[in-house]
Amino acid sequence: MDINGFFQQYWPLMLVALWFGYKWWSAQRVKAMLPALKESGAILVDVRSAAEFASGNAPGSVNIPLQELGTRLKEIPNTAPVVLCCASGTRSGMAKMVLKKNGYQQVYNVGKWRNLLG
């Protein structure tokens, strides 16, 4: 099989791999920035369900489930950086879009909540 045939056959799989690679890379970048973000007063928001949050969470994080985020925006100051997390980075990615749409400037998706642990 030539290279062109390979890409034609496997492009969906490659696209999925690139997406997960990007999510991982982006989360690692935010994880490296965490000390500076925390020092500048970042708010850590876990958008998992209350039950997921109760089963384990990062110290200092607050739980605002994704489905409640739109009605609880007043609990998140828009003057400080906001670091979002969830179980995999997908819900926190959606939460980032919600916050950006509502005028928040400094919003970061760290991906998995365990990335907040260091």
Side-chain angles (χ1 to χ4, degrees), residues 86-114:
C86 64
S88 70
T90 302
R91 286 178 282 182
S92 50
M94 289 187 263
K96 180 178 177 180
M97 288 190 290
V98 169
L99 292 178
K100 287 288 205 175
K101 239 181 171 179
N102 283 280
Y104 289 78
Q105 299 295 314
Q106 300 177 70
V107 185
Y108 304 89
N109 179 4
V110 76
K112 298 176 183 181
W113 70 270
R114 292 183 188 276

mmCIF file of all heavy atoms in Angstrom, residues 86-114:
data_model
loop_
_atom_site.group_PDB
_atom_site.id
_atom_site.type_symbol
_atom_site.label_atom_id
_atom_site.label_comp_id
_atom_site.label_asym_id
_atom_site.label_seq_id
_atom_site.Cartn_x
_atom_site.Cartn_y
_atom_site.Cartn_z
ATOM 1 N N CYS A 86 -12.432 17.960 34.744
ATOM 2 C CA CYS A 86 -13.523 16.982 34.821
ATOM 3 C C CYS A 86 -12.877 15.600 34.856
ATOM 4 O O CYS A 86 -11.766 15.453 35.353
ATOM 5 C CB CYS A 86 -14.497 17.148 33.660
ATOM 6 S SG CYS A 86 -13.809 16.821 32.041
ATOM 7 N N ALA A 87 -13.533 14.605 34.309
ATOM 8 C CA ALA A 87 -12.990 13.247 34.326
ATOM 9 C C ALA A 87 -12.018 13.002 33.175
ATOM 10 O O ALA A 87 -11.050 12.265 33.320
ATOM 11 C CB ALA A 87 -14.119 12.220 34.284
ATOM 12 N N SER A 88 -12.267 13.620 32.025
ATOM 13 C CA SER A 88 -11.418 13.350 30.865
ATOM 14 C C SER A 88 -10.953 14.600 30.136
ATOM 15 O O SER A 88 -10.036 14.538 29.326
ATOM 16 C CB SER A 88 -12.178 12.472 29.862
ATOM 17 O OG SER A 88 -13.229 13.218 29.269
ATOM 18 N N GLY A 89 -11.595 15.718 30.382
ATOM 19 C CA GLY A 89 -11.266 16.949 29.680
ATOM 20 C C GLY A 89 -12.338 17.366 28.686
ATOM 21 O O GLY A 89 -12.299 18.471 28.161
ATOM 22 N N THR A 90 -13.302 16.504 28.447
ATOM 23 C CA THR A 90 -14.357 16.823 27.483
ATOM 24 C C THR A 90 -15.361 17.811 28.059
ATOM 25 O O THR A 90 -15.644 18.851 27.455
ATOM 26 C CB THR A 90 -15.066 15.541 27.010
ATOM 27 O OG1 THR A 90 -14.087 14.672 26.433
ATOM 28 C CG2 THR A 90 -16.137 15.848 25.993
ATOM 29 N N ARG A 91 -15.906 17.521 29.238
ATOM 30 C CA ARG A 91 -16.865 18.442 29.855
ATOM 31 C C ARG A 91 -16.207 19.768 30.207
ATOM 32 O O ARG A 91 -16.812 20.833 30.050
ATOM 33 C CB ARG A 91 -17.504 17.816 31.101
ATOM 34 C CG ARG A 91 -18.532 16.751 30.767
ATOM 35 C CD ARG A 91 -19.090 16.121 32.004
ATOM 36 N NE ARG A 91 -18.114 15.151 32.520
ATOM 37 C CZ ARG A 91 -18.302 14.391 33.586
ATOM 38 N NH1 ARG A 91 -19.418 14.504 34.303
ATOM 39 N NH2 ARG A 91 -17.394 13.527 33.969
ATOM 40 N N SER A 92 -14.965 19.711 30.667
ATOM 41 C CA SER A 92 -14.278 20.962 30.994
ATOM 42 C C SER A 92 -14.006 21.770 29.721
ATOM 43 O O SER A 92 -13.983 22.998 29.760
ATOM 44 C CB SER A 92 -13.002 20.703 31.791
ATOM 45 O OG SER A 92 -12.191 19.733 31.187
ATOM 46 N N GLY A 93 -13.837 21.091 28.591
ATOM 47 C CA GLY A 93 -13.708 21.791 27.314
ATOM 48 C C GLY A 93 -15.001 22.512 26.952
ATOM 49 O O GLY A 93 -14.981 23.650 26.464
ATOM 50 N N MET A 94 -16.129 21.857 27.190
ATOM 51 C CA MET A 94 -17.433 22.494 26.946
ATOM 52 C C MET A 94 -17.639 23.660 27.902
ATOM 53 O O MET A 94 -18.144 24.719 27.514
ATOM 54 C CB MET A 94 -18.559 21.478 27.086
ATOM 55 C CG MET A 94 -18.597 20.468 25.962
ATOM 56 S SD MET A 94 -20.056 19.406 26.045
ATOM 57 C CE MET A 94 -19.356 17.989 26.868
ATOM 58 N N ALA A 95 -17.235 23.472 29.153
ATOM 59 C CA ALA A 95 -17.361 24.542 30.152
ATOM 60 C C ALA A 95 -16.511 25.749 29.747
ATOM 61 O O ALA A 95 -16.931 26.898 29.925
ATOM 62 C CB ALA A 95 -16.946 24.027 31.522
ATOM 63 N N LYS A 96 -15.346 25.494 29.194
ATOM 64 C CA LYS A 96 -14.486 26.587 28.734
ATOM 65 C C LYS A 96 -15.204 27.407 27.666
ATOM 66 O O LYS A 96 -15.172 28.636 27.693
ATOM 67 C CB LYS A 96 -13.171 26.028 28.187
ATOM 68 C CG LYS A 96 -12.220 27.094 27.692
ATOM 69 C CD LYS A 96 -10.918 26.504 27.209
ATOM 70 C CE LYS A 96 -10.011 27.587 26.656
ATOM 71 N NZ LYS A 96 -8.733 27.058 26.176
ATOM 72 N N MET A 97 -15.885 26.740 26.749
ATOM 73 C CA MET A 97 -16.630 27.454 25.708
ATOM 74 C C MET A 97 -17.746 28.303 26.319
ATOM 75 O O MET A 97 -17.964 29.439 25.905
ATOM 76 C CB MET A 97 -17.203 26.478 24.682
ATOM 77 C CG MET A 97 -16.139 25.878 23.781
ATOM 78 S SD MET A 97 -16.803 24.944 22.388
ATOM 79 C CE MET A 97 -17.474 23.511 23.207
ATOM 80 N N VAL A 98 -18.431 27.762 27.334
ATOM 81 C CA VAL A 98 -19.513 28.502 28.003
ATOM 82 C C VAL A 98 -18.950 29.762 28.661
ATOM 83 O O VAL A 98 -19.508 30.861 28.513
ATOM 84 C CB VAL A 98 -20.232 27.620 29.049
ATOM 85 C CG1 VAL A 98 -21.165 28.445 29.932
ATOM 86 C CG2 VAL A 98 -20.991 26.488 28.373
ATOM 87 N N LEU A 99 -17.847 29.614 29.383
ATOM 88 C CA LEU A 99 -17.263 30.769 30.064
ATOM 89 C C LEU A 99 -16.759 31.807 29.064
ATOM 90 O O LEU A 99 -16.973 33.014 29.252
ATOM 91 C CB LEU A 99 -16.140 30.327 31.002
ATOM 92 C CG LEU A 99 -16.580 29.515 32.228
ATOM 93 C CD1 LEU A 99 -15.377 29.103 33.047
ATOM 94 C CD2 LEU A 99 -17.556 30.298 33.085
ATOM 95 N N LYS A 100 -16.095 31.359 28.020
ATOM 96 C CA LYS A 100 -15.601 32.292 27.001
ATOM 97 C C LYS A 100 -16.759 33.058 26.365
ATOM 98 O O LYS A 100 -16.659 34.259 26.131
ATOM 99 C CB LYS A 100 -14.815 31.543 25.914
ATOM 100 C CG LYS A 100 -13.460 31.054 26.357
ATOM 101 C CD LYS A 100 -12.528 32.216 26.504
ATOM 102 C CE LYS A 100 -11.101 31.769 26.343
ATOM 103 N NZ LYS A 100 -10.178 32.906 26.375
ATOM 104 N N LYS A 101 -17.857 32.356 26.086
ATOM 105 C CA LYS A 101 -19.050 32.988 25.505
ATOM 106 C C LYS A 101 -19.644 34.033 26.437
ATOM 107 O O LYS A 101 -20.293 34.974 25.991
ATOM 108 C CB LYS A 101 -20.108 31.921 25.227
ATOM 109 C CG LYS A 101 -20.534 31.828 23.825
ATOM 110 C CD LYS A 101 -21.585 30.757 23.670
ATOM 111 C CE LYS A 101 -22.148 30.835 22.283
ATOM 112 N NZ LYS A 101 -23.136 29.843 22.016
ATOM 113 N N ASN A 102 -19.423 33.861 27.734
ATOM 114 C CA ASN A 102 -19.958 34.777 28.740
ATOM 115 C C ASN A 102 -18.945 35.823 29.185
ATOM 116 O O ASN A 102 -19.103 36.426 30.253
ATOM 117 C CB ASN A 102 -20.506 33.994 29.932
ATOM 118 C CG ASN A 102 -21.854 33.381 29.620
ATOM 119 O OD1 ASN A 102 -22.866 34.079 29.675
ATOM 120 N ND2 ASN A 102 -21.884 32.116 29.245
ATOM 121 N N GLY A 103 -17.903 36.020 28.417
ATOM 122 C CA GLY A 103 -16.982 37.117 28.652
ATOM 123 C C GLY A 103 -15.783 36.836 29.530
ATOM 124 O O GLY A 103 -15.009 37.745 29.827
ATOM 125 N N TYR A 104 -15.596 35.610 29.967
ATOM 126 C CA TYR A 104 -14.418 35.277 30.768
ATOM 127 C C TYR A 104 -13.204 35.248 29.844
ATOM 128 O O TYR A 104 -13.241 34.632 28.781
ATOM 129 C CB TYR A 104 -14.588 33.928 31.463
ATOM 130 C CG TYR A 104 -15.593 33.961 32.593
ATOM 131 C CD1 TYR A 104 -16.964 33.944 32.335
ATOM 132 C CD2 TYR A 104 -15.174 34.015 33.917
ATOM 133 C CE1 TYR A 104 -17.889 33.996 33.366
ATOM 134 C CE2 TYR A 104 -16.102 34.057 34.954
ATOM 135 C CZ TYR A 104 -17.454 34.049 34.666
ATOM 136 O OH TYR A 104 -18.363 34.090 35.694
ATOM 137 N N GLN A 105 -12.136 35.910 30.262
ATOM 138 C CA GLN A 105 -10.953 36.031 29.415
ATOM 139 C C GLN A 105 -9.893 34.959 29.685
ATOM 140 O O GLN A 105 -9.320 34.415 28.763
ATOM 141 C CB GLN A 105 -10.318 37.419 29.602
ATOM 142 C CG GLN A 105 -11.246 38.548 29.211
ATOM 143 C CD GLN A 105 -11.565 38.548 27.731
ATOM 144 O OE1 GLN A 105 -10.675 38.409 26.903
ATOM 145 N NE2 GLN A 105 -12.837 38.677 27.404
ATOM 146 N N GLN A 106 -9.640 34.703 30.958
ATOM 147 C CA GLN A 106 -8.565 33.785 31.345
ATOM 148 C C GLN A 106 -9.153 32.435 31.757
ATOM 149 O O GLN A 106 -9.387 32.194 32.931
ATOM 150 C CB GLN A 106 -7.775 34.373 32.503
ATOM 151 C CG GLN A 106 -7.120 35.703 32.207
ATOM 152 C CD GLN A 106 -6.426 36.225 33.437
ATOM 153 O OE1 GLN A 106 -5.411 35.675 33.851
ATOM 154 N NE2 GLN A 106 -6.982 37.253 34.040
ATOM 155 N N VAL A 107 -9.398 31.560 30.795
ATOM 156 C CA VAL A 107 -10.018 30.268 31.067
ATOM 157 C C VAL A 107 -9.096 29.172 30.539
ATOM 158 O O VAL A 107 -8.641 29.232 29.395
ATOM 159 C CB VAL A 107 -11.405 30.155 30.392
ATOM 160 C CG1 VAL A 107 -12.082 28.853 30.789
ATOM 161 C CG2 VAL A 107 -12.283 31.350 30.746
ATOM 162 N N TYR A 108 -8.831 28.181 31.382
ATOM 163 C CA TYR A 108 -7.896 27.108 31.043
ATOM 164 C C TYR A 108 -8.523 25.752 31.334
ATOM 165 O O TYR A 108 -9.157 25.571 32.366
ATOM 166 C CB TYR A 108 -6.603 27.246 31.864
ATOM 167 C CG TYR A 108 -5.951 28.595 31.695
ATOM 168 C CD1 TYR A 108 -6.288 29.658 32.527
ATOM 169 C CD2 TYR A 108 -5.016 28.804 30.688
ATOM 170 C CE1 TYR A 108 -5.710 30.898 32.360
ATOM 171 C CE2 TYR A 108 -4.430 30.054 30.513
ATOM 172 C CZ TYR A 108 -4.779 31.091 31.354
ATOM 173 O OH TYR A 108 -4.205 32.326 31.192
ATOM 174 N N ASN A 109 -8.333 24.815 30.434
ATOM 175 C CA ASN A 109 -8.835 23.453 30.612
ATOM 176 C C ASN A 109 -7.642 22.555 30.934
ATOM 177 O O ASN A 109 -6.818 22.281 30.073
ATOM 178 C CB ASN A 109 -9.540 22.982 29.332
ATOM 179 C CG ASN A 109 -10.065 21.573 29.440
ATOM 180 O OD1 ASN A 109 -9.994 20.932 30.484
ATOM 181 N ND2 ASN A 109 -10.615 21.072 28.346
ATOM 182 N N VAL A 110 -7.564 22.081 32.172
ATOM 183 C CA VAL A 110 -6.463 21.211 32.584
ATOM 184 C C VAL A 110 -6.776 19.739 32.311
ATOM 185 O O VAL A 110 -5.947 18.868 32.531
ATOM 186 C CB VAL A 110 -6.070 21.464 34.061
ATOM 187 C CG1 VAL A 110 -7.079 20.851 35.007
ATOM 188 C CG2 VAL A 110 -4.668 20.963 34.358
ATOM 189 N N GLY A 111 -7.978 19.467 31.837
ATOM 190 C CA GLY A 111 -8.344 18.082 31.517
ATOM 191 C C GLY A 111 -8.808 17.332 32.748
ATOM 192 O O GLY A 111 -9.694 17.774 33.462
ATOM 193 N N LYS A 112 -8.178 16.206 33.011
ATOM 194 C CA LYS A 112 -8.560 15.356 34.147
ATOM 195 C C LYS A 112 -8.319 16.070 35.472
ATOM 196 O O LYS A 112 -7.298 16.730 35.649
ATOM 197 C CB LYS A 112 -7.752 14.059 34.135
ATOM 198 C CG LYS A 112 -7.985 13.220 32.913
ATOM 199 C CD LYS A 112 -7.093 12.001 32.926
ATOM 200 C CE LYS A 112 -7.283 11.205 31.655
ATOM 201 N NZ LYS A 112 -6.458 10.015 31.622
ATOM 202 N N TRP A 113 -9.236 15.886 36.408
ATOM 203 C CA TRP A 113 -9.101 16.560 37.704
ATOM 204 C C TRP A 113 -7.829 16.161 38.414
ATOM 205 O O TRP A 113 -7.258 16.924 39.176
ATOM 206 C CB TRP A 113 -10.340 16.315 38.577
ATOM 207 C CG TRP A 113 -10.490 14.916 39.093
ATOM 208 C CD1 TRP A 113 -11.149 13.891 38.480
ATOM 209 C CD2 TRP A 113 -9.970 14.379 40.310
ATOM 210 N NE1 TRP A 113 -11.069 12.744 39.250
ATOM 211 C CE2 TRP A 113 -10.346 13.029 40.381
ATOM 212 C CE3 TRP A 113 -9.215 14.916 41.355
ATOM 213 C CZ2 TRP A 113 -10.013 12.197 41.446
ATOM 214 C CZ3 TRP A 113 -8.890 14.095 42.408
ATOM 215 C CH2 TRP A 113 -9.281 12.752 42.463
ATOM 216 N N ARG A 114 -7.349 14.974 38.168
ATOM 217 C CA ARG A 114 -6.105 14.520 38.821
ATOM 218 C C ARG A 114 -4.897 15.356 38.382
ATOM 219 O O ARG A 114 -3.884 15.370 39.083
ATOM 220 C CB ARG A 114 -5.864 13.047 38.555
ATOM 221 C CG ARG A 114 -6.897 12.162 39.248
ATOM 222 C CD ARG A 114 -6.590 10.686 39.012
ATOM 223 N NE ARG A 114 -7.652 9.844 39.506
ATOM 224 C CZ ARG A 114 -7.790 9.444 40.760
ATOM 225 N NH1 ARG A 114 -6.948 9.845 41.669
ATOM 226 N NH2 ARG A 114 -8.794 8.660 41.107
#
